Amino acid sequence: MSRTQPDQPTRARVAPSANQLQHARPGVISREGASVADTLLRLAPPQRRRAFKEHFTARERAVIMTEVERVTGSLYGLWRDTPSGFVEDVLGESLWSKQRAVLDAIVDHKRVAVPAGFGVGKTHLAARAAVWFTNVYPVGTALCITTATRFRQVQRQLWPHIRKIVPRAGLPGSCDTVQYKMPTPQGHDFVAAYGFSAPANDEAAMQGIHMAHILLIVDEAGGIAASIGHGTNNLLTGGHAAMLAIGNPAMDEPNSWFETLCGDGDKAEHPGTTTIPISSLDSPAITGELVPYCTDCPPNPSDIHTLARHMPDQAWVDDTIRAYGEDHPYVIAKVYAKFPKGGGGVVIPPSWIEAATSYEDPTGEGWHRICDLGLDDETATHTVREGAWVRLGVDIAADGGDEFTIYRSVGDAVEFRHASSGAANDSQVTVAEKVLEEIFAAQRLSKALNSSHPVRVKIDQNGIGHGVVSMLQRWAETGRHQAQIVGVMVSESPSQDDPGALMRPWRKRDEMWLATRALLQPDPSTGMGRLRLHIDETASKQLATPKLLSTTSGYTQVESKKQMRARGMKSPDRAEAVLLALYEPEPLHKPRRRGLLN
């Protein structure tokens, strides 16, 4: 991208000195405004040009800006080749080093790839790029297009930032949900920027878009399908076009489009592409670099703070590595902003779990928010379907270091219910009574949903779990509750074994993990799995922790708790309670045996 635009005649670049600029100040500025503005725009390097505010009075600056608009067609044409200057001078915000490098790279490169770690402000940065691009060219000649894996990401992540920036900075035009409209000189509204998402198999989504100046912003680029990614070439061929692709590296998709793009930025044969990684370790909260004050939080004079508060610090990095392990794909992608090789070899890819925790809750006829069902002890706000089957998964603590955990599944929604550890869990009676308390709550919920299925409780029967199962079964026989109690011996052979299956579980525990994996795996046609996870962060981490192994005979094994402890991981008690809530070791109603006379 040339700093001298095609519609401007090329001139010798002899930058005026500070002296010359200073002596251009007197009252004659009104008639010399065009000459000074032209000099500022065409000849001075960005840093000297941006200093014009200190060299001229407010009246003289107004004259210069009027001439800038006449010469460039935009009030903000002075910042056409300095996005960081636009953010600092026009938006009145400060930048830290990585943000400045990314924004200014858009001027000189056709493709800017930014693999980013967790919480480093990638969406914040992309919004500033969009607003800069749409304001430095004449209205009607520039178009910014933003996209992401899903429309929800476009609508709820990037565009709220854009909608805040425009009115706060007093920029022309207005924003609706995913459109930025600017007035033309004729008084018409021109859509200068808009957001959309394309189906993964729609190769034509990026075709038929033409404009003198185009900026494509690909947010959450790690999840963009290859067909859509390759389709961006349709927008970037010919004319003045550029792309900013920014996002977390994909954790479970080797050789993705985004990984290939980032790799191109490091190769001499792709001079138009540059890659600028931003790892969590680059966070100013860790490096100590000065950063701007936060402008996104509600104003509070007693709590003025910098953006560093919202960025990952060393404690977060240490906790993440401790929770997942140094070589886990989550750590490689989210902390180091690198691409895991081979998908990391975990049973359930972290991206599947992240997706399941972010799915929108269905609404409409037949769906109810749990808290709206009139049950005093139910406060969950997610929706469940009328008639849904209510199930509980219970993992009993094997020793003082493990947790006693309960999770509940209501149809496709899984939620956290209880976790405790310590000596109190050694009492079978105390544990059984807590499970009974959850059974009563589940029965009330089942009745409110008009479910035709009895509540079903799956309990890890190892250790003291055996006594808890026996006690709850006895209480069912005496009428204390109406739930079905199912003890699960995770060390037994699996309930089902398909010799032709790609993954054949070795033990019942392996079967449970693989069953949940299948429920979370996104469908290629919709990009969504079959579960909504309303669970805590600890359970999410534990679900993504065990490695996928295999026996010498070809069976699939899940890394054992002992193996996990050997590499510093905790026992995945919460994850396995989630598995138990979902796992069905036997049919709800056992088939009736047929006699010879039937």
Side-chain angles (χ1 to χ4, degrees):
M1 187 184 302
S2 172
R3 291 181 184 269
T4 302
Q5 300 305 322
D7 57 343
Q8 299 171 352
T10 304
R11 298 189 183 183
R13 290 182 170 272
V14 181
S17 66
N19 249 358
Q20 290 171 315
L21 292 177
Q22 183 71 21
H23 285 90
R25 293 192 53 196
V28 294
I29 188 66
S30 57
R31 65 176 182 267
E32 293 184 0
S35 173
V36 175
D38 187 66
T39 300
L40 282 169
L41 175 67
R42 298 174 187 274
L43 304 180
Q47 289 306 315
R48 182 178 293 176
R49 184 197 319 139
R50 288 173 53 197
F52 85 96
K53 294 184 300 183
E54 279 66 42
H55 291 293
F56 299 100
T57 66
R59 182 177 66 84
E60 291 165 341
R61 286 199 298 270
V63 173
I64 291 175
M65 293 306 295
T66 299
E67 291 303 321
V68 165
E69 184 172 17
R70 183 187 65 79
V71 173
T72 68
S74 168
L75 184 64
Y76 305 103
L78 272 181
W79 291 271
R80 190 171 289 176
D81 60 356
T82 173
S84 63
F86 178 87
V87 172
E88 293 172 338
D89 297 340
V90 178
L91 302 186
E93 300 177 351
S94 300
L95 295 169
W96 56 288
S97 56
K98 284 286 188 174
Q99 290 178 320
R100 186 175 292 106
V102 169
L103 286 174
D104 289 341
I106 301 172
V107 175
D108 295 313
H109 298 87
K110 191 168 280 290
R111 298 174 179 83
V112 179
V114 185
F118 171 80
V120 294
K122 56 186 182 298
T123 302
H124 172 99
L125 186 60
R128 272 71 191 164
V131 173
W132 158 74
F133 191 81
T134 51
N135 277 277
V136 295
Y137 294 100
V139 176
T141 68
L143 175 64
C144 178
I145 306 162
T146 78
T147 190
T149 311
R150 296 184 179 88
F151 184 70
R152 181 181 67 254
Q153 295 168 326
V154 176
Q155 182 182 33
R156 299 188 179 182
Q157 294 182 29
L158 177 57
W159 275 85
H161 284 276
I162 297 174
R163 292 197 300 270
K164 285 182 181 178
I165 297 169
V166 171
R168 187 167 62 202
L171 297 174
S174 61
C175 294
D176 56 26
T177 307
V178 290
Q179 285 188 329
Y180 178 18
K181 298 178 181 179
M182 302 177 72
T184 66
Q186 295 76 29
H188 305 299
D189 277 342
F190 173 75
V191 178
Y194 67 88
F196 84 109
S197 64
N201 56 354
D202 186 359
E203 297 182 7
M206 297 292 180
Q207 296 180 4
I209 302 172
H210 305 285
M211 193 65 59
H213 311 286
I214 292 178
L215 175 65
L216 172 63
I217 295 178
V218 184
D219 195 18
E220 302 296 343
I224 293 293
S227 57
I228 300 301
H230 296 318
T232 61
N233 292 326
N234 298 327
L235 291 181
L236 302 180
T237 54
H240 173 206
M243 175 177 67
L244 170 63
I246 188 168
N248 299 131
M251 291 176 278
D252 55 313
E253 187 182 351
N255 303 315
S256 65
W257 168 78
F258 188 44
E259 182 175 0
T260 302
L261 177 68
C262 292
D264 288 346
D266 298 324
K267 298 175 182 177
E269 59 265 34
H270 295 282
T273 303
T274 186
T275 300
I276 305 175
I278 309 178
S279 81
S280 294
L281 298 178
D282 293 320
S283 164
I286 295 176
T287 65
E289 181 180 348
L290 295 178
V291 291
Y293 286 105
C294 175
T295 56
D296 288 330
C297 291
N300 183 356
S302 63
D303 185 29
I304 298 175
H305 57 276
T306 70
L307 287 175
R309 176 186 292 184
H310 303 294
M311 303 179 78
D313 55 17
Q314 191 62 51
W316 178 85
V317 170
D318 294 341
D319 289 345
T320 301
I321 293 175
R322 190 180 304 114
Y324 288 100
E326 183 78 35
D327 60 346
H328 193 279
Y330 187 94
V331 172
I332 295 170
K334 298 283 190 174
V335 174
Y336 299 117
K338 296 181 179 179
F339 292 87
K341 301 301 179 183
V346 293
V347 181
I348 304 176
S351 59
W352 297 2
I353 299 166
E354 282 190 341
T357 60
S358 64
Y359 293 150
E360 292 185 356
D361 291 319
T363 58
E365 186 177 356
W367 290 92
H368 308 280
R369 291 202 316 164
I370 292 180
C371 61
D372 294 338
L373 291 170
L375 304 173
D376 293 338
D377 55 344
E378 297 290 350
T379 59
T381 58
H382 60 268
T383 61
V384 291
R385 185 186 284 277
E386 178 88 10
W389 183 9
V390 182
R391 298 174 287 173
L392 298 176
V394 183
D395 189 79
I396 308 294
D399 55 57
D402 291 345
E403 283 189 307
F404 158 44
T405 58
I406 304 175
Y407 284 78
R408 184 169 73 184
S409 169
V410 186
D412 67 330
V414 184
E415 61 177 319
F416 167 81
R417 294 296 296 180
H418 172 79
S420 61
S421 59
N425 293 335
D426 293 339
S427 168
Q428 296 181 24
V429 176
T430 301
V431 171
E433 286 178 341
K434 180 59 185 176
V435 177
L436 183 63
E437 180 183 323
E438 287 298 323
I439 289 175
F440 290 154
Q443 289 180 161
R444 290 191 292 270
L445 177 58
S446 180
K447 183 178 179 181
L449 291 173
N450 298 311
S451 177
S452 60
H453 304 289
V455 171
R456 204 169 203 202
V457 187
K458 281 71 61 70
I459 303 172
D460 180 359
Q461 201 167 346
N462 290 323
I464 67 169
H466 180 79
V468 173
V469 169
S470 299
M471 203 173 302
L472 289 167
Q473 287 176 336
R474 178 60 180 163
W475 289 344
E477 292 170 359
T478 58
R480 195 170 176 184
H481 68 83
Q482 291 76 49
Q484 291 186 345
I485 307 298
V486 180
V488 180
M489 291 295 293
V490 298
S491 57
E492 292 179 345
S493 296
S495 301
Q496 300 178 6
D497 182 25
D498 178 5
L502 184 63
M503 293 184 178
R504 297 177 64 189
W506 177 244
R507 292 284 181 254
K508 188 164 288 189
R509 177 174 178 267
D510 308 320
E511 184 182 26
M512 289 166 49
W513 276 96
L514 293 180
T516 300
R517 171 192 166 91
L519 291 171
L520 287 168
Q521 184 170 9
D523 185 302
S525 62
T526 63
M528 298 178 64
R530 288 177 282 172
L531 294 178
R532 290 176 291 137
L533 297 180
H534 295 276
I535 59 178
D536 52 289
E537 185 178 357
T538 299
S540 295
K541 289 179 178 178
Q542 290 181 1
L543 282 169
T545 299
K547 294 183 177 181
L548 196 62
L549 310 173
S550 61
T551 67
T552 54
S553 54
Y555 285 92
T556 298
Q557 275 188 313
V558 175
E559 184 181 22
S560 69
K561 293 182 179 182
K562 182 178 179 180
Q563 290 171 315
M564 292 175 66
R565 289 192 180 104
R567 61 185 182 95
M569 303 291 100
K570 291 184 178 180
S571 175
D573 304 308
R574 298 195 184 198
E576 297 201 340
V578 171
L579 307 185
L580 284 162
L582 298 166
Y583 175 64
E584 289 307 321
E586 56 188 55
L588 179 62
H589 301 291
K590 293 183 180 180
R592 186 183 307 168
R593 284 183 172 271
R594 292 190 175 186
L596 293 176
L597 299 178
N598 289 349

